Amino acid sequence: MRVASASALGVVSVLAVLFTVVLGGGLARADVRGDATAAIGAFAADSGNAALLGGPTGTLRMVRGGGGASQTFERGTVYYSPDTGAQAVYGAIAARYRAVGGPAAIGYPTGGEQAAGDGRFSEFNGPEGAAIYWSPTTRASLLTGGVLRAWRASGGVTGPFGFPTSDTVNTGRADEADFAGPAGTHIAWSSTTGLETTPAELLASMPTMAVAADSTETISAAKPAPPAPAARSGWRKWWPWAVAAACVLVLLIALVVLFRRGRGSRKPDDDAAPAPTAAGTPAAVASPGSEAVVPAAGAAAADEPVAEPEPEPEPEPEEPPEPVLSEETALASSLVVTYAEDVDHGPRIAYENNALGADHAGGEDATRAWLHGAGAAETGGEG
């Protein structure tokens, strides 16, 4: 019984806690709704606000996760939170406020819309501070954090930067925003790099500014901005490629010249020079182990002109050789002297083929007569 009683008591305790949480949340929500209904109603009932807002176009709506409520009217929207009360935003500023995320993004409006130069602005209670500015010549733009503080330190809409022309955005390097001028066009802020302006010389004229909207600690806004990288000209960008292309072109030209010069100066070795044939055509030289290629008669190389063969010189006529007589011919055609064995008065000479002719008148050979006569007397008689 005691165990059962303990279990039942535990269940009752849990149910009581849940009931308290749910009932308490509901009561708290009911309190916010009630407070918002009363505050927005009182705001819209004011004569000045009623003229600006017009009649309501919607019922009260609770802002999810924001702990507040809102209600739309013909020319604006009224927002309520326990910290800010009921405040209205109008026209382009209200549209921009909803576009950037409303209360969940930059908090609730902290006051009514105010004049700024020839434009208007509204402030919000975001953790870093936020404000939306509008002018007839610029759209409604959101400034936050350090950019907002630096811009206001420079003079706001009446300073060198004028009205913003873009929302504050984080680029990964810093929070940045653009402005209409007339003397400045850009502000960038980062807790690590400090403040940067365009043009850079505006930085020196800006006073100190608060690190945070609710902080009294101040830093100098005159941190020098890093120099902008010099613009590279087209030639500086492309000159390495141009030099490389020129080097390649020069190399190709040099190779072509060397190749042609090598072909023009190539000469065959003296030992391998083909010997000219009878017709003046060089004979083919066969390398060892290969068949010799002999050009056909009358054929010529394709790139050489065909030369007609020179006529052979006619041989000079040779003088006929002196006749050489054999021994028999010489004996037969010459003077033959025959010595008779029976010579009475000296040698007896008989002539054959006597060149002097026969002495037909005397019946003797004239030579014999001479030898027998005068010849014998000169030699001292017949011998």
Side-chain angles (χ1 to χ4, degrees):
M1 291 294 294
R2 290 181 179 178
V3 174
S5 299
S7 299
L9 182 61
V11 171
V12 171
S13 300
V14 171
L15 291 175
V17 171
L18 292 175
F19 179 78
T20 302
V21 171
V22 172
L23 182 60
L27 292 175
R29 187 176 180 83
D31 290 343
V32 172
R33 179 179 286 275
D35 293 343
T37 301
I40 292 174
F43 185 88
D46 181 83
S47 58
N49 294 333
L52 295 174
L53 287 173
T57 58
T59 60
L60 185 73
R61 299 178 60 183
M62 300 302 293
V63 176
R64 183 176 301 175
S70 68
Q71 186 175 1
T72 59
F73 293 80
E74 292 176 345
R75 289 182 291 275
T77 303
V78 179
Y79 288 86
Y80 166 83
S81 76
D83 295 333
T84 61
Q87 304 293 341
V89 289
Y90 302 92
I93 293 178
R96 194 64 191 162
Y97 178 52
R98 289 190 296 268
V100 297
I106 60 175
Y108 288 87
T110 59
E113 191 175 279
Q114 304 176 51
D118 60 349
R120 310 285 290 179
F121 79 98
S122 290
E123 290 191 86
F124 305 87
N125 68 344
E128 294 185 354
I132 296 177
Y133 283 81
W134 169 89
S135 78
T137 57
T138 60
R139 70 171 194 168
S141 299
L142 170 66
L143 297 180
T144 60
V147 174
L148 174 62
R149 296 192 299 275
W151 176 69
R152 283 178 169 173
S154 73
V157 296
T158 60
F161 294 95
F163 278 91
T165 58
S166 74
D167 295 337
T168 299
V169 294
N170 186 277
T171 60
R173 185 183 65 90
D175 293 336
E176 304 183 29
D178 295 327
F179 298 85
T185 59
H186 191 78
I187 293 176
W189 163 258
S190 170
S191 59
T192 57
T193 61
L195 184 65
E196 301 175 11
T197 64
T198 303
E201 55 267 20
L202 284 177
L203 188 63
S205 64
M206 296 177 69
T208 59
M209 64 180 220
V211 175
D214 57 351
S215 173
T216 57
E217 182 183 359
T218 59
I219 60 172
S220 174
K223 282 190 176 182
R232 298 181 64 182
S233 63
W235 169 245
R236 288 184 178 181
K237 182 178 180 180
W238 293 104
W239 76 263
W241 298 101
V243 171
C247 292
V248 172
L249 181 60
V250 171
L251 181 60
L252 291 176
I253 293 175
L255 291 175
V256 171
V257 171
L258 291 176
F259 178 74
R260 291 185 176 180
R261 186 174 296 175
R263 289 188 61 185
S265 61
R266 189 184 300 133
K267 294 181 179 180
D269 296 334
D270 294 337
D271 296 340
T277 59
T281 303
V285 179
S287 60
S290 64
E291 296 182 358
V293 179
V294 180
D303 55 350
E304 296 181 1
V306 178
E308 297 182 1
E310 297 182 0
E312 297 182 1
E314 297 181 359
E316 295 181 0
E318 298 181 358
E319 295 182 0
E322 296 181 0
V324 179
L325 299 179
S326 62
E327 186 176 355
E328 291 80 5
T329 306
L331 291 176
S333 58
S334 302
L335 178 64
V336 178
V337 179
T338 303
Y339 296 92
E341 295 180 0
D342 52 346
V343 176
D344 296 333
H345 301 287
R348 185 177 179 179
I349 300 173
Y351 296 90
E352 294 180 5
N353 299 328
N354 186 12
L356 299 179
D359 186 2
H360 297 286
E364 291 184 342
D365 192 305
T367 304
R368 180 179 297 177
W370 181 82
L371 288 175
H372 285 234
E378 292 178 3
T379 58
E382 295 179 3

